Amino acid sequence: MPIDPYAPYDDNNIFARILRGELPCKKVYEDDFALAFHDINPQAPVHILVIPKARYVSWDDFTIHATDGEISGFIRAVGAVAREHGLVEPGYRLLANVGQHGHQEVPHLHVHLFGGRQFYAMIPQ
Ligand code: 5GP
């Protein structure tokens, strides 16, 4: 079920538990601001989730409440993950689902990073 984008942060969401080390993940990157790991149900040859370390429900929550340092640190981390996986030259796709219409399921902000193949229509008709 899509999340309520206005719900308070749930400290027991799956990504909060991954951040605390209570659940495993296939980590590919970590710095002060972000953690990145392979999606458990990949939709492309490369499908990585990049999440901020701080407690933000969604892109909306993040862009209202995060500090400038958290925002720049997180966005730079997304770029670093793409570069480290050799995705820049062939190209890649970023996606952040927000709320019900965006069909966001996990209530901790995450950016999907897709690569490793050609993508076509952005939204299936
Ligand atoms: P959303 O629909 O919220 O944008 O995407 C959530 C993503 O999290 C999905 O692509 C789903 O496969 C992934 N996911 C859900 N649970 C886990 C998990 O426990 N581990 C990992 N690595 N990915 C997960």
Side-chain angles (χ1 to χ4, degrees), residues 57-79:
V57 174
S58 66
W59 187 262
D60 189 62
D61 184 19
F62 188 63
T63 53
I64 292 171
H65 297 115
T67 66
D68 289 354
E70 287 174 325
I71 291 172
S72 60
F74 177 67
I75 291 175
R76 286 189 190 282
V78 175

Side-chain angles (χ1 to χ4, degrees), residues 20-78:
R20 290 196 297 268
E22 296 169 6
L23 292 175
C25 72
K26 291 185 178 171
K27 181 168 81 175
V28 299
Y29 179 93
E30 182 170 15
D31 65 19
D32 289 346
F33 297 100
L35 177 71
F37 48 87
H38 290 288
D39 195 289
I40 204 168
N41 183 24
Q43 304 297 309
V46 177
H47 183 175
I48 292 168
L49 300 171
V50 191
I51 70 174
K53 286 194 166 174
R55 300 161 72 256
Y56 296 106
V57 174
S58 66
W59 187 262
D60 189 62
D61 184 19
F62 188 63
T63 53
I64 292 171
H65 297 115
T67 66
D68 289 354
E70 287 174 325
I71 291 172
S72 60
F74 177 67
I75 291 175
R76 286 189 190 282
V78 175

